[in-house]
């Protein structure tokens, strides 16, 4: 039977009407206990059931309460018990309701019947679908080639089961998506202080220096970061934002300073130079906790004069000097950084420049400064140790990347096309849309369509994305509101806590949580796999995990966290974590590496970050800055031998963008951005969000537009080396004249009616899609060019020509 | 007990980040279909590069103490004792007159249902001791709701901290109960120009003034 979209909707509606609450769902009247807010009543005064859970529109993973009436999710609000978002949620979190009831949602397993990408599908049973997937997996494993199964994930919070499953199966051909987000930031940190992620303690700071981050609209910790920035500013802190574009963060800043794309690192270095030359630095911190001396740093930074930085960046030297002094004198201060700084060919190095600024004034680990990550942790259920020897195809780390510590996913399809390191027989995508989210969309589509390059593609997805429509088999996933996961987001209240994702409603139609599907697949593959993944289902896993979670077991365990949605593991806020002295017990059986002073355990020499215990400083043993992935010392390595040995400058330096060196006078730099009412690629099917933001005209400075005869609203053509994009111009004084800015959310050609503008029929009789323009997607013209240190996709470097269409 | 209640909302523009959380809360709480708005957030850019900025304005029914819409409604609208202005008979043709009487564009016609609609101040929530959906979710607590006659209410405390507050189109004599604090550089007057009044918002205006879609 071939299903049309209309059939989908009919069945979806029917399923929506019959999903029942009760059963395993909690039946507490949660909202009544809330201090304020909480919609325990419908418009008609009907009482609603509140189920606390964790959001997954964006990766901030705020605490939410889903309000359910007659088995249907009616509304989402914030969970007041959640230490991060404190009862408040953004536009996106609330539109999670739309994710469940998207009329174009995939509700049954389906097999392709026409040509790949033709859109012809046959509904099949779960038994048939899983029989086929398990059969193919078993065949590869039995033949000794588990690495020919590639698993490629996008927004994956199911690592607790995908990890053990893939390890037990024996494949290391696992792709992720970090290189299109902010990997340069993470690798830059791993080379500098160690374990990645930083928390700007903005509620307690006096000065925020922001390079290219837009936390008031989008960030890995958006909502709760934004709350604390506003709190800090109300207490009198200043916020200075360097950005090529007037983001809402720039608009709310004390000062917006436009900067030429790719030169933020140079501006930071010039500021560091000013601070060192004027003696505004923290000598004690530098010489205790970094691996350079003040003299060494001063000598190195002297080349970065504000005047030289002005020529390249366009930021006046006087402004650089003034901001440098303000930043150094108004302590505690903190440097905020994100994609404006790091989504460049020089991204990882730029992040090192940001951390340099924080380090030289002693902001790191200081109250109101820049902190290493803080988070709680779930325990793991007892299960047999997985000792399967896994194999992997060398296609996940790109070509010639120095430290691909989070892999180079946007090069995967290039590696598959090239074929010299082998190709997967079976490619499984999980909530991942490579056709849309990487650069060079046309290339991505051509590889995904080619059965000689990718013989079999299984997509695990709840929506018909641009990549899922190119699959051979579709497994309909449950949305994040219909399943279980353990969560422990970075804690912006600085106290460790764990959070729970639990089903707010039952999965619609025949959708099944992929977490449970994997456990099912393990049983179908058989042999040692069921023994290595011994859980009945997700709920069983979560119950056992709760019993192993520090503090939770004695505080009510699984039932407690189901009731509250969160559990605080420790109420103490700690600063200066690196300066904690190690106890004699911690030092037992350790050795000291004579070269670096690293205290390590296991082996005769310090070779792996896993051996790290602490750091010797001036004859004493301290916790230090814990390395991760790169076996650096426990000091902040402003001087990196790891970079030097790969041919990069050891000290933070300015690396000009290759493509920008040979720009003509007509050329502009394309920059992309996120807005507050959408997440990157997975929210445009949410009608409440897309009604607010559905088209993305290109931002052009009026001066730039006038030089090209372009008026507001004109059709324009943007051309790069890899393609051409037709869109509209929006003239604004809020963008650097050397750039054209296009948001990355729009121009879906699939993903349902709201995202793509393809309108088969209205979802509700009383409403129509009223907007006509669904925008244009910039990824058609952005090359998949990586930062050679981290592999980061250089999103913000594309040189383009803009003209009237 | 003091005198009767008078509900009001403070929009603290120093705290507002223009995030649209209130707009989606409204859609969700009230079941508002696409193409109809009981509230929205306007954006306005100001200044010349590089001294450019952007202002936000949350816009909704002003819950006026002196509501011209009620007077024009021929009995189809009411004002409760606590000041909340409500539509009683949403299908009444006389509400067209109320729509024209409103200087803030905040009575709309929902074509799909054939009904006039506007913000109810979430009276179904407020009557059960909850705050309106918008104030409940506002991530930066830019929205403070409460009883102006109660000195301990959230809004009274916040108004005291802010010192100065303004209303939109004060000269109209409508006595709005939506207060704004933190307008800068004549932003109130600039926003007021975007609100000519006496009709409903067009989809085009919403599209242009919310998130710059066009």
């Amino acid at each position: 039977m071939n299903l049309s979209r209309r059939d989908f909707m009919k069945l979806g509606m029917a399923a929506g009407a019959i999903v029942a609450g009760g059963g395993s769902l909690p039946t507490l009247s949660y909202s009544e206990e809330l201090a304020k807010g909480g919609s325990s009543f419908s418009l008609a005064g009907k009482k609603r059931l509140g189920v606390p859970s964790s959001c997954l529109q964006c990766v901030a993973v705020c605490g939410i309460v889903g309000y359910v009436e007659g088995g249907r999710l009616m509304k989402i609000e914030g969970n007041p018990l959640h230490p991060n978002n404190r009862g408040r949620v953004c536009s996106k979190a609330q539109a999670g309701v739309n994710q469940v009831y998207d009329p174009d949602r995939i509700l049954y397993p389906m097999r392709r019947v026409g040509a790949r990408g033709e859109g012809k599908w046959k509904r099949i049973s779960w038994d048939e679908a899983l029989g086929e997937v398990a059969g193919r997996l078993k065949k590869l494993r039995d033949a000794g080639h588990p690495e020919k199964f590639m698993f490629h994930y996008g927004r994956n919070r199911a690592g607790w089961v995908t990890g053990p499953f893939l390890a037990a199966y024996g494949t290391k051909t696992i792709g992720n998506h970090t290189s299109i987000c902010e990997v340069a930031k993470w690798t830059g940190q791993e080379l500098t202080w160690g374990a990645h992620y930083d928390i700007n303690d903005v509620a307690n700071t006096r000065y925020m220096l922001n390079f290219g981050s837009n936390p008031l609209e989008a960030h890995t910790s958006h909502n709760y970061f934004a709350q604390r920035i506003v709190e800090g500013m109300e207490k009198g802190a200043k916020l200075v934002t360097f950005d090529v574009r007037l983001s809402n963060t720039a608009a709310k800043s004390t000062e917006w300073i436009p900067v030429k794309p790719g030169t933020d690192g140079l501006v930071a270095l010039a500021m560091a130079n000013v601070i060192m030359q004027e003696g505004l630095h923290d000598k004690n911190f530098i010489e205790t906790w970094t691996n350079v001396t003040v003299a060494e740093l001063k000598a190195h930074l002297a080349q970065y004069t504000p005047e030289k930085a002005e020529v390249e960046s366009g930021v006046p030297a006087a402004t650089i000097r003034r901001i440098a002094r303000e930043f150094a004198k108004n302590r505690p201060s903190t440097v905020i950084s994100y994609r404006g700084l790091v989504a460049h060919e020089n991204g990882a190095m730029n992040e090192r420049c940001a951390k340099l600024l924080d380090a030289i004034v002693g902001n790191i680990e200081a109250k109101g400064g820049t902190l290493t990550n803080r988070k709680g942790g779930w325990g793991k259920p007892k299960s047999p140790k997985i000792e399967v020897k896994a194999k992997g195809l060398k296609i996940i780390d790109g070509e010639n990347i120095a430290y691909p510590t989070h892999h180079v996913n946007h090069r995967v399809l290039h590696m598959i096309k090239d074929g010299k390191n082998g190709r997967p027989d079976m490619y499984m995508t999980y909530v991942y849309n490579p056709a849309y989210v990487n650069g060079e969309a046309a290339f991505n589509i051509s590889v995904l369509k080619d059965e000689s390059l990718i013989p079999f593609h299984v997509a695990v997805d709840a929506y018909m994305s641009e990549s899922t429509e190119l699959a051979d088999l579709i497994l309909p996933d449950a949305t994040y509101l219909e399943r279980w996961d353990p969560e422990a987001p970075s804690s912006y209240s600085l106290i460790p806590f764990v959070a729970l994702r639990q089903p707010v409603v039952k999965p619609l139609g025949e959708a099944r949580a992929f977490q449970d599907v994997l456990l099912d697949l393990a049983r179908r593959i058989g042999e040692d796999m069921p023994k290595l993944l011994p859980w009945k289902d997700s709920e069983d896993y979560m119950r056992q995990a709760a019993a192993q979670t520090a503090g939770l077991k004695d505080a009510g365990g699984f039932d407690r966290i189901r009731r509250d949605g969160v559990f605080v593991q420790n109420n103490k806020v700690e600063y200066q974590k690196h300066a904690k002295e190690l106890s004699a017990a911690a030092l037992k059986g350790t050795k000291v590496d004579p070269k670096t002073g690293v205290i390590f355990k296991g082996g005769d020499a310090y070779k792996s970050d896993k051996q790290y215990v602490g750091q010797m400083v001036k004859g004493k043993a301290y916790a230090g800055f814990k390395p991760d992935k790169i076996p650096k010392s426990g000091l902040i390595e402003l001087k990196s031998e790891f970079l030097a040995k790969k041919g990069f400058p050891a000290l933070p330096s300015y690396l000009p963008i290759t493509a920008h060196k040979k720009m003509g006078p007509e050329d502009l730099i394309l920059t992309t951005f996120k807005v507050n009412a959408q997440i990157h690629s997975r929210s445009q099917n949410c009608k409440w969000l897309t009604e607010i933001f559905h088209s993305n005209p290109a931002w052009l400075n009026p001066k730039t537009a006038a030089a090209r005869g372009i008026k507001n609203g004109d059709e324009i053509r943007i051309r790069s080396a890899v393609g051409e994009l037709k869109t509209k111009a929006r003239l604004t004084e809020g963008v650097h004249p050397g750039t054209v800015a296009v948001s990355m959310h729009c121009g879906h050609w699939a993903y349902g009616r709201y995202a793509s503008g393809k309108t088969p029929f209205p979802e509700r009789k009383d409403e129509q899609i009223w907007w006509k323009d669904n925008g244009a997607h910039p990824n058609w013209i952005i090359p998949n060019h990586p930062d050679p240190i981290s592999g980061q996709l250089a999103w913000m470097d594309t040189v383009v020509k803009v003209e009237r269409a | 007990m003091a005198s009767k209640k008078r509900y009001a909302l403070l929009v603290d523009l120093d705290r507002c980040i223009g995030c649209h959380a209130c707009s989606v809360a409204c859609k969700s709480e009230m079941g508002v279909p696409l193409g109809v708005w009981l509230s929205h957030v306007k954006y306005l850019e100001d200044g010349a590069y590089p001294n450019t900025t952007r202002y936000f304005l949350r816009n909704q029914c002003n819950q006026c103490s002196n509501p011209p819409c009620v007077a024009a409604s021929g009995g189809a609208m009411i004002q409760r004792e606590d000041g909340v202005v409500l539509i009683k008979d949403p299908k009444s043709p006389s509400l067209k007159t109320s729509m024209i009487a409103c200087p803030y564009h905040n009575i709309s016609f929902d074509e799909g249902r054939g009904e006039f609609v506007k913000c109810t101040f979430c009276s179904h929530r407020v009557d059960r001791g909850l705050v309106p959906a918008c104030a409940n979710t506002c991530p930066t607590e830019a929205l403070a709701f409460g009883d102006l006659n109660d000195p301990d209410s959230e809004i009274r405390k916040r108004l005291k901290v802010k010192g100065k507050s303004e209303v939109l189109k004060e000269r109209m004599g409508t006595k709005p109960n939506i207060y704004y604090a933190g307008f800068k550089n004549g932003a109130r007057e600039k926003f007021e120009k975007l609100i000519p009044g006496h009709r409903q918002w067009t989809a085009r205006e919403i599209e242009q003034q919310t998130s710059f879609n066009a």
Side-chain angles (χ1 to χ4, degrees):
Chain A
M1 157 179 128
N2 288 330
L3 284 176
S4 70
R5 293 171 108 148
R6 183 172 289 274
D7 290 320
F8 268 120
M9 195 202 67
K10 274 196 228 149
L11 290 157
M13 302 266 282
I18 56 160
V19 283
S24 66
L25 286 172
T27 49
L28 62 147
S29 182
Y30 185 84
S31 57
E32 284 181 308
E33 296 161 17
L34 305 188
K36 54 179 177 178
S39 80
S40 56
F41 299 94
S42 71
L43 267 174
K46 210 168 154 191
K47 210 168 186 178
R48 287 172 175 172
L49 168 76
V51 185
S53 190
S54 292
C55 187
L56 193 53
Q57 285 280 46
C58 88
V59 75
V61 187
C62 290
I64 54 172
V65 180
Y67 289 97
V68 181
E69 207 179 300
R72 192 177 168 98
L73 172 62
M74 305 306 289
K75 191 161 185 253
I76 293 171
E77 297 187 6
N79 181 353
L81 301 178
H82 201 282
N84 272 353
N85 60 296
R86 306 179 285 198
R88 285 153 192 280
V89 283
C90 70
S91 59
K92 296 156 278 194
Q94 298 178 87
V97 175
N98 300 159
Q99 294 283 17
V100 178
Y101 304 110
D102 177 351
D104 299 316
R105 192 177 152 181
I106 303 168
L107 295 176
Y108 307 93
M110 297 200 294
R111 181 196 296 286
R112 169 171 72 86
V113 289
R116 209 181 252 184
E118 202 187 347
K120 286 191 179 152
W121 300 94
K122 180 179 174 237
R123 177 180 168 182
I124 58 173
S125 69
W126 269 104
D127 190 53
E128 184 183 339
L130 293 188
E132 170 151 8
V133 174
R136 285 174 181 265
L137 284 172
K138 191 165 159 40
K139 206 172 142 196
L140 285 177
R141 198 175 190 240
D142 289 346
H145 287 297
E147 77 282 5
K148 284 182 176 274
F149 167 49
M150 173 158 192
F151 182 71
H152 207 159
Y153 62 85
R155 181 53 65 225
N156 179 9
R157 304 305 285 183
W160 57 273
V161 57
T162 60
F165 179 90
L166 297 165
Y169 178 78
T171 183
K172 284 200 280 192
T173 316
I174 304 166
N176 62 354
H177 77 283
T178 314
S179 70
I180 58 167
C181 291
E182 72 292 76
V183 78
K185 185 169 163 73
W186 303 154
T187 309
Q189 291 178 7
E190 283 152 4
L191 286 161
T192 310
W193 72 15
H196 78 274
Y197 209 84
D198 50 358
I199 296 176
N200 301 100
D201 190 16
V202 288
N204 297 307
T205 198
R206 289 181 66 204
Y207 201 91
M208 301 169 228
L209 180 55
N210 171 22
F211 289 106
S213 182
N214 183 13
L216 299 189
E217 296 193 74
H219 188 274
T220 41
S221 299
H222 158 62
N223 172 10
Y224 38 94
F225 192 5
Q227 290 184 15
R228 286 160 177 85
I229 288 174
V230 169
E231 207 176 307
M233 288 184 81
E234 196 168 78
K235 288 196 243 168
K238 278 193 175 160
L239 168 59
V240 175
T241 294
F242 286 86
D243 202 319
V244 299
R245 181 186 73 90
L246 185 80
S247 65
N248 286 356
T249 304
K252 292 298 285 190
S253 296
T254 323
E255 243 179 287
W256 168 48
I257 303 169
V259 57
K260 185 189 162 193
T263 65
D264 303 57
L266 176 60
V267 172
L269 288 164
M271 285 185 186
N273 184 23
V274 171
I275 290 167
M276 300 297 293
Q277 298 298 333
E278 298 188 4
L280 302 173
H281 58 277
D282 181 338
K283 182 169 190 285
N284 183 45
F285 187 89
I286 295 170
E287 299 203 334
T288 309
W289 292 109
T290 81
N291 65 345
V292 293
T293 62
V294 166
E296 204 176 354
L297 209 50
K298 234 181 197 170
H300 168 71
L301 291 170
Q303 60 184 307
Y304 299 114
T305 62
E307 283 69 24
K308 199 171 143 189
E310 174 175 343
V311 174
E312 290 269 308
S313 69
V315 180
T319 305
I320 293 175
R321 285 203 169 81
R322 176 173 57 83
I323 303 290
R325 289 172 192 143
E326 285 178 11
F327 169 76
K329 288 178 181 170
N330 288 286
R331 282 185 243 166
S333 51
T334 181
V335 180
I336 300 169
S337 75
Y338 231 87
R339 290 165 54 105
L341 182 76
V342 306
H344 293 283
E345 186 191 81
N346 55 8
M349 188 59 94
N350 287 351
E351 177 65 14
R352 281 174 58 72
C353 299
K355 290 292 169 279
L356 164 78
L357 269 178
D358 268 329
I360 60 170
V361 300
N363 282 340
I364 292 173
E365 280 292 311
K367 184 177 183 181
T370 302
L371 313 178
T372 56
N373 202 9
R374 274 118 170 97
K375 65 200 294 191
W378 277 85
K380 280 189 180 150
K382 292 188 180 114
S383 64
K385 199 172 169 211
I386 297 169
E387 286 169 44
V388 176
K389 197 143 172 56
K391 295 201 272 186
L393 296 176
K394 292 196 179 351
I395 59 173
I396 59 171
D397 287 335
E399 310 97 331
N400 305 317
I401 304 300
Y403 293 99
T405 52
H406 299 260
H407 312 303
V408 189
N409 71 284
H410 59 274
R411 299 300 306 174
V412 164
L413 294 178
H414 295 266
M415 302 294 283
I416 288 177
K417 167 119 195 193
D418 177 79
K420 69 170 181 280
N421 292 345
R423 294 183 179 122
D425 277 359
M426 178 165 159
Y427 182 59
M428 182 184 273
T429 47
Y430 171 53
V431 200
Y432 180 53
N433 186 2
Y436 182 90
V437 301
N438 295 312
E440 299 179 46
F443 171 81
N444 304 332
I445 294 167
S446 74
V447 175
L448 289 166
K449 261 192 176 169
D450 190 335
E451 290 177 57
S452 71
L453 299 176
I454 297 176
F456 192 65
H457 174 189
V458 182
V460 183
D461 209 336
Y463 312 100
M464 194 61 89
S465 78
E466 286 77 3
S467 307
T468 298
E469 70 174 14
L470 300 177
D472 303 311
L473 193 71
I474 301 174
L475 304 180
D477 196 17
T479 68
Y480 67 90
L481 294 155
E482 303 162 325
R483 67 178 206 231
W484 300 89
D485 288 308
E487 287 288 359
S490 292
S491 177
Y492 272 58
S493 57
L494 312 180
I495 52 172
F497 67 93
V498 288
L500 177 69
R501 174 167 302 111
Q502 65 179 327
V504 172
V505 285
K506 287 186 176 173
L508 224 55
E510 285 185 12
R512 282 185 72 191
F514 183 55
Q515 290 81 337
D516 292 331
V517 167
L518 277 182
L519 295 175
D520 200 344
L521 277 174
R523 288 186 284 263
R524 282 172 185 259
I525 294 166
E527 296 170 37
D528 52 339
M529 288 199 66
K531 197 172 78 229
L532 297 172
L533 291 100
W535 313 290
K536 200 170 108 246
D537 53 25
S538 308
E539 184 176 347
D540 182 33
Y541 176 96
M542 292 307 308
R543 187 181 294 279
Q544 291 188 42
Q548 301 296 326
T549 298
L552 180 56
K553 191 186 174 186
D554 300 326
F558 189 53
D559 292 341
R560 163 78 182 269
I561 199 155
R562 289 198 73 189
R563 189 193 72 190
D564 293 349
V566 285
F567 176 71
V568 174
Q569 292 179 292
N570 178 356
N571 246 321
K572 209 171 126 206
V573 174
E574 275 184 283
Y575 293 102
Q576 309 290 351
K577 279 170 83 166
H578 64 288
K580 215 166 153 178
E581 279 191 57
L582 295 182
S583 67
L587 292 171
K588 214 172 150 193
T590 61
K591 293 193 180 88
V592 176
D593 176 34
K595 199 173 145 231
T596 59
V598 168
I599 306 160
F600 66 98
K601 207 170 191 170
D604 293 324
Y606 176 58
K607 282 182 196 153
S608 155
D609 57 278
K610 302 234 165 29
Q611 295 167 278
Y612 181 89
V613 174
Q615 175 71 36
M616 292 303 295
V617 177
K618 297 174 183 165
K620 277 190 185 170
Y622 292 97
F625 294 92
K626 196 175 180 312
D628 184 32
K629 297 186 177 70
I630 294 166
K632 59 171 272 296
S633 69
L635 299 174
I636 298 170
E637 296 201 338
L638 293 182
K639 187 170 163 185
S640 174
E641 278 181 28
F642 292 95
L643 281 175
K645 79 178 172 206
K646 298 269 184 178
F648 295 95
L651 285 159
S653 301
Y654 174 55
L655 307 172
I657 309 286
T658 315
H660 296 180
K661 287 180 200 161
K662 40 182 191 260
M663 276 175 71
E666 294 293 295
D667 291 338
L668 298 175
I669 300 168
L670 171 67
T671 193
T672 63
F673 62 94
K674 286 185 189 170
V675 302
N676 49 21
Q678 294 283 6
I679 55 168
H680 179 200
S681 65
R682 295 180 297 109
S683 62
Q684 292 71 27
N685 59 320
C686 296
K687 62 180 178 182
W688 294 333
L689 300 179
T690 299
E691 180 172 44
I692 293 171
F693 191 81
H694 45 261
S695 73
N696 58 343
W699 292 25
L700 275 177
N701 189 290
K703 218 174 86 189
T704 315
R708 289 160 179 77
I710 296 167
K711 291 192 296 293
N712 194 41
D714 277 358
E715 294 262 337
I716 57 167
R717 200 175 281 128
I718 309 177
R719 273 187 296 127
S720 79
V722 297
E724 186 180 297
L725 186 74
K726 249 180 102 173
T727 186
K728 282 184 193 142
R730 173 183 173 252
L731 304 199
T732 167
E733 300 282 343
V735 67
H736 189 288
T739 68
V740 51
V742 182
S743 104
M744 64 202 14
H745 307 289
C746 299
H748 271 285
W749 56 96
Y751 229 96
R753 71 196 67 184
Y754 298 112
S756 65
K758 294 172 185 166
T759 319
F761 51 90
E763 177 192 348
R764 267 168 57 173
K765 260 195 237 148
D766 62 359
E767 68 178 16
Q768 296 284 344
I769 302 176
W770 56 268
W771 58 93
K772 305 271 187 300
D773 183 359
N774 275 72
H777 191 42
N779 291 7
W780 293 98
I781 64 167
I782 297 174
N784 282 321
H785 178 66
D787 162 16
I789 294 175
S790 66
Q792 169 77 48
L793 203 164
W795 287 113
M796 319 298 199
D797 293 346
T798 311
V799 176
V800 295
K801 285 200 163 50
V802 174
E803 60 197 18
R804 271 177 67 176
Chain B
M1 198 68 190
S3 55
K4 62 191 179 196
K5 289 184 190 324
R6 187 155 70 95
Y7 288 122
L9 182 78
L10 169 70
V11 183
D12 182 349
L13 297 168
D14 292 325
R15 282 184 159 255
C16 176
I17 57 170
C19 74
H20 306 293
C22 50
S23 312
V24 177
C26 183
K27 284 261 167 182
S28 178
E29 181 74 32
M30 304 300 291
V32 184
L34 297 180
V36 181
W37 294 270
L38 306 191
S39 71
H40 69 279
V41 179
K42 287 188 179 304
Y43 283 25
L44 181 73
E45 277 180 4
D46 198 24
Y49 180 88
N51 301 309
T52 322
T53 192
R54 182 175 302 133
Y55 304 117
F56 310 119
L57 184 85
R58 175 178 154 85
N59 187 274
Q60 64 176 96
C61 166
N62 274 279
Q63 300 290 352
C64 305
S65 289
N66 186 14
C69 55
V70 174
S73 71
M77 293 181 72
I78 55 156
Q79 182 169 31
R80 305 199 318 189
E81 270 225 313
D82 55 17
V84 177
V85 176
L86 293 173
I87 292 173
K88 204 175 70 182
D89 178 9
K91 291 194 193 291
S92 166
S94 67
L95 287 169
K96 175 86 187 167
T97 329
S98 296
M99 180 197 277
I100 294 165
C102 172
Y104 307 103
H105 299 220
N106 279 322
I107 295 175
S108 305
F109 185 65
D110 175 351
E111 280 181 42
R113 291 169 179 166
E115 292 180 352
F116 289 89
V117 290
K118 70 168 207 72
C119 159
T120 66
F121 240 3
C122 277
S123 54
H124 65 291
R125 290 174 61 102
V126 171
D127 292 347
R128 291 174 176 85
L130 306 173
V131 300
C134 53
N136 178 57
T137 204
C138 178
T140 56
E141 300 186 50
L143 302 177
F145 178 82
D147 176 9
L148 277 183
N149 290 337
D150 173 3
D152 294 326
S153 68
E154 178 69 15
I155 188 166
R156 280 283 294 273
K157 284 189 232 163
R158 290 281 293 277
L159 279 168
K160 203 173 155 193
V161 172
K162 297 309 292 188
K164 189 187 166 204
S165 66
E166 298 168 78
V167 295
L168 292 178
K169 296 194 179 182
E170 192 178 9
R171 63 186 179 280
M172 304 296 292
T174 53
K175 300 202 164 117
N177 283 300
I178 308 295
Y179 293 85
Y180 294 88
F183 276 123
K184 289 184 184 73
N185 308 322
R188 178 176 55 74
E189 291 81 352
K190 285 167 189 156
F191 273 120
E192 283 175 345
K193 280 193 192 129
L194 294 179
I195 313 172
H198 314 301
R199 56 177 174 81
Q200 65 179 333
W201 293 113
T202 66
R204 184 74 181 156
E205 282 167 329
I206 298 274
E207 201 174 32
Q208 289 177 333
Q209 295 166 13
T210 299
S211 295
F212 308 123
N213 278 289

